[in-house]
Each structure stands twice: as structure tokens, then as C-alpha cells.
């Protein structure tokens, strides 16, 4: 008889569930995608509803679930016997860092240094572990260093977003994008050296005293027009990277491989610095490094041999034909239309990976400006990512590091800057997604056809959502986003929709 496992994570944001068999991960559902509220934290009633949706999708019942994994962090079910849909479970309680680590065990590394860095949990913030075979051992607690999500979140609270919650769960990516627009400031670097212990705290009631120390105006409306904020963002990013890398050098003696997990692993500038500096021979980052992968990581941590085929583990609402409308799609792209693209199973995590994306030509800055301001309605400085055919990576970018989950941002080569300016950030880097023919044969074919006409196997690729909303999941979500946005055309599993 086939065994099924259910894993549940409430947390303080990004609630999620995962269902697996005893052999493979079957489904991962993020509450925000299903209930359409970004970084959503659910209560018990909504969690049960999410579980029902997952069971219904897989056509199994709660009675077929043999194990329940339940994360301790903000657990709403309790720790004793739990009644879910009439079935009683004695849960296997899981810890925050174990769950993060689990998401990275898919790397296949027999041994590796594991850095789990986030903003806080029952396990603290940042810790370093060592994987040797199936054994995970603790090396060091780095909570009292700048290498934490607390540090980065407080800086975000100072520069981008005064509200504590949003500064720590929604806006750090904006801070990272803004950092590329500034320059290094000696004044700010010295202040960071002096005051980092105060920055490395949670400031629930605001951080006005830090604004005064750093001489920042309490105006947050347009940080991309505030040179002090831009320069502090850049300087803080460099300060953070240097602290991280100087510490990581000390662990190189344990392994030539490194796995980065936790919310800080979304910092693509740091990831690229580690990869391109050859500090470690191999670097692995999952598509669900943050809390949205907690439930999935729990199953992998306790069942390390289980198969997990990242990243398309969300729901499917039909498959796309291998030849579906490709000529029409290419024609729309070459006519500079920006497309809502919905294909097969949804990708998990916060990055658009070619199944729920806005796509378009990358041949002019006007295209990225239009995507940012007119379609997604977000800040104009935010970078637009490229999706690139994997075999041409080194021809167009200064890296050998493949990036199937959009977790690295290498420097673009001169011809890329010339022929694909829409995907070049202000520091001449690009948050790339590499696509192989095995990963996504249809998108790969589109890229190859575009190359034959334009000379570059690159498209703009941004998450299929507008500001304030999570990435879409269902065809209904996709059509709603298409109608609300300024996108030109929509494709759902190859079928074309126009306005």
C-alpha cells in the first residue's frame, strides 16, 4: 500500500503545506498562491482548507496520510494529538533550521558546509552546519554578527519600508535592487562598523534613532531619488558581503561545497560573489530557500532519499502541447508584445521560472520600463530578469555558474548590454535564469528561435503578478492578472487570449 506524508508550516509569514509519497514529493502549496494574499500567514481554519485543497488535487483522502510533520514555529495546531478532517495524528515536530536545511539536501553533495541564514526562529537566525554523508552537525552560531536577516531587515526598514513586518518579509528584495544604484560611502561604512550591533536587532516600534544616526530623512516615497538612501543601500550590501565572505573562508577547510539556505540565500549578489570568487568549488541554492519552503524541507530532512524534482511542484491545470502556437508566440514577441505566460505546473518559491511569467523581448530599455511601470506597476529601479538558453550562458554572461532557479546575478558581457539592455541592472549585472532543453523544452525552443532572428537567446522574464499580489497559480488567476495589467496578450498552455 502506498504511503503518504503531510507536512505543515504555519510560521509568521509564507504558510505552506507539502504532500509526498514515501518515494517522492508530490505537491507543494504556498498559502499566498491559493488564497491570493502575499506572504500570507494562515490560522487553523485556513490551514485545514489548504490541506483539503491539496488532498483534493492529488485525489487522496486524509485517511491515506500515514505521517504528519508539523513545524514548531508559530504552530497553531498544538503538540499533542491533532484532529485534521476527522483523523487524529501524533505529529512529528520539526525545527526551523532543520526544515531550511532539508530544502538544500537535494544538492546531491556528499559533504558540504551549510549556512542557514534568516531573520529569526526558535533556532535563532544564522548558523553554520556541516554535512558529511547523512550526518548534519552544528559548527557555529552567528546570531551576534552582521550575517543575519535581522541586520538586512533593519537596513530595509531604514531605507525602503518603515513598517517592521513588511521590511523583514516583503521589502528586502527591493533593498537589494536599490543597492545597485548607489556608490560606496566611507561615512556609511564607518557608521555600519560602529552601529551594526544596534542594526542587528528587531525594531518592532520603528528605528527613528537609526535614521538620525545615519542622517536619513523620514521620507520613504521614492528612495531611488534619495542619494543617501541609495548609497547606504549599496554600502550596506558591500559591508554585508565582506563580513559573510571573510567568515565563509574559515569553513573552506571542511568542504569545497557550500549550500546556502534561509531567507538570506535570496541575496543574489552575495551568491554570485561566492560562486565567481571560487571561494567554494560548488554552490547550491534552492528555489525555496525562505520560509515558503519550510514544509517541503521537513519531509526531505526526515526522508533524505526522497525524490524532489525542483521547481515545478505546484498545481497543474493542463499541459502545453510541444508545438502549441509557437509560430504565433514568436510573432507576438517579435512585435514587441509583452505576454502573460502560463504553462503546466506552477513553479514554487518567489521567482518566476518560466511557467508563470511575463515575457518579452529584451532589446530596449523601453521594454523593461514598460513592464515595470505600466504592467507590473512597481518601482522603476527594480531589475527585470533574463531567461537565457543554458548552452549560451558563458557567451553572454561573465560566469560558468548555471542558475536554473534565478539565484545568481553575474555581470553581463558587452554584447549582452548592447543587444539585450532591458535585462541589465544599473550595475551591469543580471539575475539570470538558465533554461535547458530538459528543464523546459518549449521555452528553450522559443529562446532558440528568438536567437535566430535577434542574435541573442534571451527574453525578459518577470513573475506573473502585479504590485501587491502574489504570483498567479490557476488559469483564473492568470486571466485576472492579464485583465488588470497592461500586458498585450496571454497564453495559457498554448491557447492565446487577447483583450
Amino acid at each position: 500500500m502506498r504511503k503518504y506524508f503531510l507536512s505543515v508550516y504555519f510560521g509568521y509569514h509564507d504558510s505552506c503545506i507539502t504532500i509526498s509519497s514515501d518515494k517522492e514529493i508530490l505537491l507543494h502549496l504556498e498559502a499566498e498562491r491559493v488564497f491570493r494574499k502575499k506572504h500570507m500567514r494562515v490560522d487553523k481554519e485556513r490551514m485545514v482548507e489548504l490541506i483539503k485543497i491539496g488532498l483534493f488535487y492529488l485525489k487522496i483522502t486524509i485517511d491515506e496520510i500515514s505521517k504528519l510533520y508539523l513545524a514548531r514555529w508559530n504552530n497553531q495546531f498544538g503538540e499533542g494529538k491533532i484532529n485534521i478532517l476527522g483523523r487524529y495524528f501524533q505529529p512529528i515536530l520539526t525545527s526551523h533550521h532543520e526544515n531550511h536545511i532539508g530544502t538544500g539536501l537535494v544538492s546531491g553533495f556528499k559533504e558540504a558546509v551549510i549556512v542557514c541564514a534568516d531573520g529569526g526562529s526558535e533556532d535563532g537566525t544564522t548558523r553554520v552546519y556541516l554535512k558529511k554523508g547523512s550526518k548534519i552537525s552544528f559548527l557555529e552560531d552567528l546570531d551576534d554578527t552582521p550575517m543575519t536577516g535581522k541586520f538586512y531587515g533593519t537596513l530595509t526598514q531604514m531605507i525602503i519600508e518603515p513598517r517592521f513586518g513588511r521590511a523583514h518579509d516583503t521589502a528586502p528584495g527591493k533593498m537589494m535592487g536599490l543597492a545597485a544604484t548607489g556608490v560606496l560611502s566611507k561615512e556609511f561604512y564607518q557608521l555600519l562598523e560602529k552601529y551594526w550591533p544596534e542594526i542587528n536587532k528587531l525594531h518592532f516600534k520603528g528605528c527613528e534613532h537609526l535614521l538620525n544616526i545615519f542622517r536619513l530623512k523620514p521620507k520613504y516615497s521614492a528612495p531611488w531619488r534619495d542619494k543617501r538612501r541609495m548609497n547606504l543601500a549599496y554600502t550596506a550590501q558591500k559591508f554585508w558581503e565582506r563580513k559573510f565572505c571573510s567568515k565563509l573562508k574559515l569553513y573552506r577547510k571542511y568542504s569545497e561545497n557550500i549550500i546556502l539556505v534561509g531567507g538570506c540565500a535570496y541575496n543574489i549578489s552575495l551568491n554570485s560573489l561566492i560562486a565567481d570568487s571560487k571561494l567554494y568549488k560548488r554552490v547550491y541554492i534552492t528555489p525555496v530557500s525562505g520560509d515558503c519552503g519550510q514544509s517541503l524541507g521537513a519531509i526531505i530532512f526526515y526522508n533524505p532519499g526522497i525524490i524532489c524534482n525542483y521547481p515545478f511542484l505546484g498545481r497543474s491545470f493542463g499541459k502545453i502541447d510541444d508545438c502549441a502556437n509557437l509560430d504565433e508566440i514568436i510573432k507576438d514577441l517579435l512585435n514587441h508584445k509583452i505576454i502573460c505566460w502560463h504553462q503546466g505546473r506552477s513553479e514554487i518559491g518567489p521567482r518566476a521560472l518560466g511557467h508563470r511569467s511575463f515575457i518579452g523581448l529584451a532589446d530596449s530599455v523601453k521594454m523593461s520600463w514598460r513592464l515595470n511601470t505600466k504592467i507590473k506597476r512597481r518601482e522603476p529601479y527594480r531589475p527585470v530578469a533574463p531567461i537565457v538558453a543554458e548552452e549560451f550562458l558563458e557567451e553572454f554572461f561573465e560566469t560558468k555558474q548555471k542558475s536554473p532557479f534565478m539565484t545568481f546575478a553575474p555581470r553581463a558581457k558587452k554584447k549582452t548590454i548592447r543587444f539585450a539592455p532591458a535585462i541589465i541592472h544599473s550595475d551591469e549585472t543580471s539575475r539570470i535564469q538558465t533554461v535547458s532543453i530538459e528543464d523546459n523544452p518549449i521555452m528553450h525552443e522559443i529562446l532558440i528561435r528568438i536567437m535566430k532572428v535577434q542574435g541573442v537567446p534571451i527574453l525578459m522574464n518577470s513573475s506573473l503578478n502585479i504590485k501587491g499580489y502574489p504570483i498567479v497559480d490557476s488559469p483564473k488567476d492568470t486571466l485576472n492578472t492579464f485583465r488588470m495589467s497592461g500586458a498585450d496578450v496571454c497564453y495559457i498552455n498554448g491557447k492565446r487570449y487577447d483583450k
Side-chain angles (χ1 to χ4, degrees):
M1 184 177 177
R2 199 176 191 190
K3 296 179 180 178
Y4 295 97
F5 306 152
L6 168 65
S7 181
V8 172
Y9 175 71
F10 283 95
Y12 289 94
H13 54 84
D14 293 299
S15 300
C16 53
I17 68 163
T18 307
I19 301 173
S20 75
S21 69
D22 55 352
K23 298 188 183 303
E24 64 178 324
I25 302 295
L26 300 175
L27 177 69
H28 181 70
L29 288 183
E30 298 162 49
E32 69 163 33
R33 302 282 187 98
V34 176
F35 301 124
R36 311 307 302 149
K37 182 179 179 182
K38 206 166 186 180
H39 297 293
M40 187 176 186
R41 172 178 67 179
V42 301
D43 57 17
K44 286 193 288 186
E45 184 179 345
R46 274 295 176 94
M47 182 59 80
V48 171
E49 187 178 350
L50 189 63
I51 292 168
K52 286 174 67 176
I53 290 168
L55 293 172
F56 178 80
Y57 177 82
L58 293 173
K59 296 181 173 59
I60 61 177
T61 69
I62 194 68
D63 291 328
E64 294 176 86
I65 301 294
S66 60
K67 290 182 183 179
L68 171 67
Y69 296 96
L70 179 60
R72 287 188 176 91
W73 192 233
N74 195 35
N75 167 26
Q76 301 292 299
F77 278 154
E79 298 186 359
K81 280 194 173 181
I82 299 166
N83 183 345
I84 300 177
L85 299 172
R87 170 81 187 279
Y88 283 89
F89 293 92
Q90 185 62 53
I92 299 167
L93 297 173
T94 67
S95 79
H96 204 74
H97 278 207
E98 286 177 353
N99 298 347
H100 277 318
I101 290 168
T103 66
L105 298 182
V106 180
S107 68
F109 297 158
K110 291 183 179 179
E111 63 174 30
V113 172
I114 302 175
V115 179
C116 182
D118 63 15
S121 69
E122 80 277 12
D123 294 325
T125 55
T126 301
R127 291 183 176 183
V128 185
Y129 300 85
L130 179 63
K131 169 181 162 52
K132 278 191 172 290
S134 60
K135 184 181 178 182
I136 308 292
S137 55
F138 170 76
L139 291 180
E140 188 176 359
D141 188 331
L142 300 178
D143 187 65
D144 292 326
T145 74
M147 298 167 57
T148 72
K150 288 187 300 182
F151 179 82
Y152 209 88
T154 298
L155 282 161
T156 304
Q157 195 175 359
M158 294 164 59
I159 297 169
I160 298 283
E161 172 57 68
R163 290 169 289 183
F164 171 82
R166 290 182 178 271
H168 285 264
D169 63 35
T170 302
K174 296 181 182 182
M175 225 282 279
M176 184 171 57
L178 185 67
T181 66
V183 296
L184 193 69
S185 163
K186 184 178 179 180
E187 172 201 352
F188 284 146
Y189 205 94
Q190 290 173 344
L191 287 172
L192 289 166
E193 285 281 14
K194 183 177 180 179
Y195 290 104
W196 73 257
E198 181 62 18
I199 297 172
N200 192 40
K201 294 178 181 178
L202 299 177
H203 298 278
F204 298 100
K205 296 181 179 180
C207 54
E208 287 79 6
H209 63 300
L210 288 169
L211 297 185
N212 292 332
I213 290 169
F214 283 81
R215 294 196 296 118
L216 297 177
K217 295 177 181 178
K219 295 181 180 179
Y220 290 82
S221 58
W224 59 92
R225 296 194 187 103
D226 185 330
K227 286 188 177 181
R228 286 191 69 80
R229 277 184 157 80
M230 292 159 61
N231 292 344
L232 178 55
Y234 180 89
T235 305
Q237 175 70 33
K238 295 305 175 186
F239 177 88
W240 198 66
E241 289 173 358
R242 289 171 187 175
K243 296 295 183 183
F244 246 105
C245 289
S246 62
K247 194 68 174 176
L248 293 182
K249 286 179 184 178
L250 303 179
Y251 303 112
R252 182 64 178 77
K253 62 186 178 183
Y254 293 106
S255 176
E256 62 183 12
N257 305 317
I258 189 167
I259 298 169
L260 302 175
V261 293
C264 294
Y266 290 134
N267 194 294
I268 54 174
S269 298
L270 173 64
N271 299 345
S272 295
L273 181 61
I274 295 169
D276 294 336
S277 68
K278 307 301 181 184
L279 188 58
Y280 286 81
K281 186 175 180 181
R282 293 187 293 177
V283 183
Y284 183 81
I285 296 127
T286 87
V288 282
S289 298
D291 285 7
C292 64
Q294 277 278 306
S295 59
L296 189 152
I299 291 180
I300 300 172
F301 188 88
Y302 282 89
N303 305 272
I306 203 163
I307 297 169
C308 176
N309 291 315
Y310 286 141
F312 305 115
L313 292 169
R315 291 187 292 179
S316 173
F317 300 86
K319 295 181 179 180
I320 184 169
D321 189 300
D322 286 349
C323 300
N325 272 342
L326 277 192
D327 290 340
E328 194 167 24
I329 293 162
I330 298 299
K331 181 180 178 182
D332 279 335
L333 287 168
L334 292 175
N335 284 331
H336 288 88
K337 293 185 184 294
I338 293 179
I339 296 173
C340 291
W341 181 260
H342 176 123
Q343 173 189 339
R345 297 188 71 173
S346 60
E347 55 269 73
I348 61 174
R351 310 294 193 214
L353 300 175
H355 277 204
R356 304 288 189 273
S357 294
F358 283 111
I359 59 173
L361 289 186
D363 60 353
S364 72
V365 173
K366 182 180 178 181
M367 288 291 285
S368 57
W369 176 85
R370 184 175 166 230
L371 179 57
N372 259 342
T373 60
K374 298 299 183 182
I375 293 176
K376 300 198 67 167
R377 302 170 196 162
R378 64 182 191 176
E379 300 84 353
Y381 72 87
R382 301 279 295 278
V384 172
I387 187 167
V388 55
E390 181 183 275
E391 62 268 37
F392 295 99
L393 171 64
E394 293 180 53
E395 185 177 338
F396 290 91
F397 297 94
E398 300 284 355
T399 188
K400 295 182 179 180
Q401 176 70 52
K402 295 176 183 177
S403 183
F405 309 139
M406 207 182 284
T407 47
F408 298 93
R411 188 164 295 280
K413 290 192 172 180
K414 287 183 179 179
K415 68 175 180 179
T416 314
I417 296 171
R418 179 182 176 188
F419 293 110
I423 53 84
I424 307 300
H425 202 16
S426 52
D427 60 355
E428 298 188 348
T429 63
S430 293
R431 187 177 71 189
I432 60 171
Q433 182 201 355
T434 52
V435 176
S436 70
I437 194 169
E438 294 80 16
D439 293 336
N440 190 337
I442 292 172
M443 184 58 68
H444 186 270
E445 176 64 19
I446 291 171
L447 293 168
I448 296 304
R449 290 200 189 188
I450 289 296
M451 183 179 186
K452 289 177 181 177
V453 178
Q454 290 231 313
V456 289
I458 296 170
L459 289 174
M460 293 192 307
N461 172 31
S462 188
S463 55
L464 188 46
N465 67 311
I466 58 178
K467 186 179 179 181
Y469 291 87
I471 301 174
V472 302
D473 186 41
S474 70
K476 180 181 177 182
D477 303 334
T478 299
L479 287 173
N480 284 341
T481 298
F482 174 48
R483 289 166 186 143
M484 287 192 296
S485 76
D488 301 300
V489 67
C490 178
Y491 284 87
I492 298 178
N493 291 324
K495 183 177 179 180
R496 190 179 189 274
Y497 296 84
D498 215 332
K499 287 182 176 176

